[in-house]
Amino acid sequence: MNAPWKPGGTGTRTPFLAFACDDASVEQLRPIAAELGWPIDNVYKGGVRNAVQTLSVTSSPHVLFVDLAESGDPLGDINSLAEVCEPGTIVIAAGQVNDVRLYRDLLASGIQDYLLKPLGADALRDSFAQAHNVMNAPKVSDMAMDRPHCGVAVIGTRGGAGASTLATSLAWLMSERGKRTTALLDLDVHFGTGALALDLEPGRGLTDAIENPSRIDGLFIERAMVKASEKLSVLSAEAPISNPIVTDGAAYHQLHEEMRSAFECSVLDLPRSMLVQHPHLLADINTVVLVTELTLAAARDTIRLLSWLRTHAPQASVTLVVNRMHAGAQLEITRKDFETSIERKVDVAIPFDQKLAAQSAKLGKPLAETGKASKTMAPLAELADRLLNAADDGGEGGAAGGRKGASLLARFSDLKGLVAKKK
């Protein structure tokens, strides 16, 4: 899991250790270990506390089985185990508590699987087989050598434009359609919806990182991120409203750097207010998805944000997305007037589907997953493909565009005059 490497390195690590609380579990484990070519003497009597004591003074195995049946605080004991387990250790736990919340919390803490007792031979074989596959799977760092990292920041021009919804869907599409290991980092610490949209408990990883930036490294990322699927992990938070966040932003930047090393893709759900407080967050971002709507206020803020990006993130390619396009509805501003005002074309327009949005919220799934067979989501799927292809080619996903020397006030005044004439 996340303890420092102990002297001797990987060459001295045993393939398997097991700590079981009762004789029946020991007798179930030994024949399975023998089938896999593991020493049956490596199955010991004793639970997770014995495992912590043993591994605090010896090298960790590649696969570790621990019994939580006698544990009064399973999650706390697993966290204690993580402090003494070396990186790369695959942990399989067993216990008597049949609780979905505990199961999710244990998986979020970094274990590979949780089995219910009494143990069955088939369940053990399946779990150990999965552990063997994980152990022999190509590492992300190896795959990253073959293609560049795809990093995307999603920013809404206005609250309610749907930037968080799109960020979650883009992350899901990159992981499922693109088959890339993907990290979703939701930087709205108090009101983030990244975990909520995926029906997950956010955990304390993000708030812990902000409070203790010195702890952030690859091992911290491995433990803190909540897995939504095999290839998608989320770091989000629901910090108490009474708890203000005081930070210089270094933790956010460091988190993203570690994610770039650990994942093939990273999607930042970046509240626009953070651009004012922490402009350095976009220093290493190559692609920005700017999500807007067809309103007067959104037009004003689109102009301002495009100008800000040209000044503070000139390396970033900008893809402009108009979200929630209502077919046949009376718009505050037409698309043509909007594009005239901001002096560039809209790159992607995503229709609004109220039924699909409601279904997505009820199921706790991303909009792209719920509507994967719907034409409504086709533009979003095409956007995800474009971003991945641009990253693979080392190219640009869009262009900030626009007249650099133009007066923002003049351009916005022109738009207000155009709207007034139409009225």
Side-chain angles (χ1 to χ4, degrees):
M1 283 181 156
N2 76 327
W5 289 106
K6 299 183 176 71
T10 56
T12 61
R13 298 179 73 179
T14 184
F16 171 71
L17 280 178
F19 296 85
C21 292
D22 55 88
D23 292 332
S25 297
V26 170
E27 293 306 314
Q28 280 279 26
L29 283 161
R30 283 181 172 164
I32 307 299
E35 289 177 17
L36 296 168
W38 294 334
I40 62 172
D41 292 341
N42 284 3
V43 180
Y44 296 97
K45 182 79 176 291
V48 65
R49 301 287 177 87
N50 288 27
V52 172
Q53 292 174 4
T54 301
L55 297 178
S56 63
V57 295
T58 62
S59 295
S60 303
H62 291 298
V63 178
L64 174 66
F65 177 92
V66 291
D67 196 336
L68 300 173
E70 296 177 354
S71 173
D73 179 13
L75 192 58
D77 285 339
I78 285 293
N79 287 333
S80 297
L81 182 66
E83 298 299 326
V84 298
C85 273
E86 295 169 19
T89 300
I90 300 171
V91 179
I92 298 169
Q96 296 173 325
V97 179
N98 186 5
D99 181 87
V100 173
R101 184 179 293 273
L102 174 62
Y103 173 75
R104 288 177 175 173
D105 288 343
L106 288 172
L107 292 187
S109 71
I111 73 169
Q112 169 71 20
D113 200 2
Y114 176 73
L115 305 176
L116 280 176
K117 297 182 70 176
L119 299 174
D122 290 340
L124 285 170
R125 286 191 186 94
D126 289 344
S127 190
F128 287 141
Q130 290 175 16
H132 185 269
N133 291 338
V134 170
M135 188 168 56
N136 291 287
K139 301 295 185 284
V140 173
S141 56
D142 298 333
M143 294 183 286
M145 297 291 288
D146 299 330
R147 54 192 175 198
H149 180 86
C150 178
V152 179
V154 182
I155 305 169
T157 60
R158 301 289 299 170
S164 293
T165 300
L166 261 62
T168 308
S169 286
L170 282 174
W172 184 86
L173 286 164
M174 289 175 175
S175 66
E176 293 297 321
R177 278 173 57 102
K179 305 300 181 184
R180 316 284 179 98
T181 54
T182 304
L184 172 62
L185 175 56
D186 185 348
L187 290 181
D188 189 342
V189 182
H190 291 96
F191 302 103
T193 58
L196 181 65
L198 295 163
D199 195 25
L200 299 170
E201 292 290 333
R204 281 193 47 85
L206 182 54
T207 51
D208 285 346
I210 296 169
E211 292 168 0
N212 302 286
S214 61
R215 292 184 56 198
I216 301 173
D217 57 18
L219 304 173
F220 177 87
I221 292 295
E222 182 183 334
R223 289 192 61 208
M225 298 201 70
V226 180
K227 288 185 73 68
S229 67
E230 183 183 351
K231 291 186 177 292
L232 177 60
S233 299
V234 184
L235 191 58
S236 185
E238 293 176 6
I241 301 175
S242 58
N243 180 26
I245 299 298
V246 180
T247 175
D248 61 359
Y252 303 135
H253 188 268
Q254 194 171 345
L255 278 171
H256 188 230
E257 283 299 302
E258 293 296 338
M259 288 178 181
R260 290 175 67 89
S261 300
F263 295 87
E264 294 173 281
C265 302
S266 57
V267 178
L268 272 68
D269 184 357
L270 190 60
R272 60 179 182 159
S273 60
M274 295 192 75
L275 299 180
V276 180
Q277 300 167 352
H278 311 296
H280 62 280
L281 287 178
L282 289 183
D284 297 324
I285 292 291
N286 291 324
T287 304
V288 172
V289 174
L290 195 59
V291 184
T292 190
E293 56 190 355
L294 297 184
T295 65
L296 192 63
R300 179 200 66 182
D301 291 342
T302 300
I303 294 170
R304 298 168 74 195
L305 285 168
L306 287 173
S307 177
W308 187 96
L309 289 166
R310 282 194 294 268
T311 302
H312 296 276
Q315 82 291 345
S317 159
V318 180
T319 299
L320 183 61
V321 177
V322 170
N323 192 29
R324 296 174 178 168
M325 288 281 288
H326 293 260
Q330 180 65 42
L331 300 173
E332 189 172 323
I333 303 174
T334 66
R335 176 171 174 170
K336 181 179 179 181
D337 290 345
F338 186 89
E339 292 176 333
T340 299
S341 170
I342 65 173
E343 296 186 336
R344 66 160 285 173
K345 294 291 185 180
V346 168
D347 297 303
V348 180
I350 300 176
F352 181 67
D353 189 328
Q354 176 63 50
K355 183 178 180 181
L356 186 61
Q359 183 72 0
S360 176
K362 288 178 182 178
L363 295 175
K365 293 181 178 180
L367 199 61
E369 182 180 5
T370 307
K372 57 188 174 184
S374 169
K375 292 182 179 179
T376 304
M377 290 294 102
L380 189 55
E382 291 169 6
L383 173 59
D385 291 340
R386 185 192 309 174
L387 295 173
L388 290 175
N389 292 334
D392 289 346
D393 297 338
E396 304 277 333
R403 189 176 48 188
K404 291 187 179 182
S407 162
L408 297 182
L409 181 60
R411 289 160 65 187
F412 186 59
S413 297
D414 289 345
L415 177 62
K416 288 197 289 186
L418 192 59
V419 172
K421 285 181 181 179
K422 287 183 176 291
K423 291 180 179 178

